[in-house]
């Protein structure tokens, strides 16, 4: 058994090293420095909100998870994030992913509210997964310069 673990670890390490040295094919997105910092702050808050949502789901506090999602990431958050000021600096595909992310957050919020009644954690987690896939899609496709 130790041999299998060693081989598995070596394969995993090789894969990680190959990935780390792969060319970065993400599309660079140039923005004025203040806009770039604003977008980075928004993304850090989204990531923090995702962690808070997960913590609330772990405690079966579905309505609290829904509130965090809607207010910090969902369609209700667009004005506070300055979305209309940021959009002109983003390629259309990046705008589309961002819109899909905000919509997915609002869908998650509704699903989490329903889970508060049905106690359907798997459905809520599925909706949360759809939200995070939008984050993954954007970060895999674009990078800020």
């Amino acid at each position: 058994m130790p041999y299998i673990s060693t081989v598995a670890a070596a394969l995993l390490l090789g894969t990680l090293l190959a990935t780390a040295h792969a060319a970065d094919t993400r599309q660079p997105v140039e923005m004025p420095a203040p806009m770039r910092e604003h977008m980075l702050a928004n993304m850090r808050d989204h990531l923090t909100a995702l962690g808070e949502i997960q913590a609330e789901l772990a405690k079966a506090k579905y309505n609290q998870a829904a509130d965090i999602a809607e207010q910090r990431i969902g369609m209700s958050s667009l004005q506070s994030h300055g979305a209309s000021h940021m959009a002109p600096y983003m390629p259309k595909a990046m705008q589309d992913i961002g819109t899909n992310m905000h919509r997915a957050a609002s869908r998650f919020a509704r699903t989490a509210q329903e889970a508060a009644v049905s106690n359907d954690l798997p459905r809520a987690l599925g909706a949360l997964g759809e939200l995070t896939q939008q984050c993954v899609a954007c970060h895999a496709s674009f990078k800020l310069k």
Side-chain angles (χ1 to χ4, degrees), residues 28-93:
V29 177
E30 292 193 40
M31 293 186 171
M35 301 300 271
R36 181 181 184 279
E37 292 307 314
H38 182 79
M39 180 171 276
L40 290 170
N42 284 344
M43 288 188 289
R44 284 190 297 272
D45 185 62
H46 292 157
L47 186 58
T48 300
L50 288 169
E52 292 172 10
I53 289 165
Q54 292 170 355
E56 295 301 331
L57 289 176
K59 297 182 280 189
K61 293 187 175 183
Y62 301 108
N63 286 320
Q64 290 87 334
D67 289 344
I68 294 166
E70 185 57 43
Q71 297 306 313
R72 304 260 295 281
I73 310 173
M75 295 301 288
S76 298
S77 75
L78 292 178
Q79 187 172 5
S80 68
H81 284 229
S84 63
H85 300 294
M86 303 299 289
Y89 296 97
M90 296 185 232
K92 175 81 167 88

Side-chain angles (χ1 to χ4, degrees), residues 3 7 9 41 51 65 73 76-78 81-83 86 90 105 107 113 123 131 134-135 138 140 142:
Y3 174 74
V7 170
I73 310 173
S76 298
S77 75
L78 292 178
H81 284 229
M86 303 299 289
M90 296 185 232
R107 283 192 305 274
Q113 289 170 334
R123 187 165 170 251
L131 164 58
Q134 296 305 312
C135 301
C138 195
F142 303 98

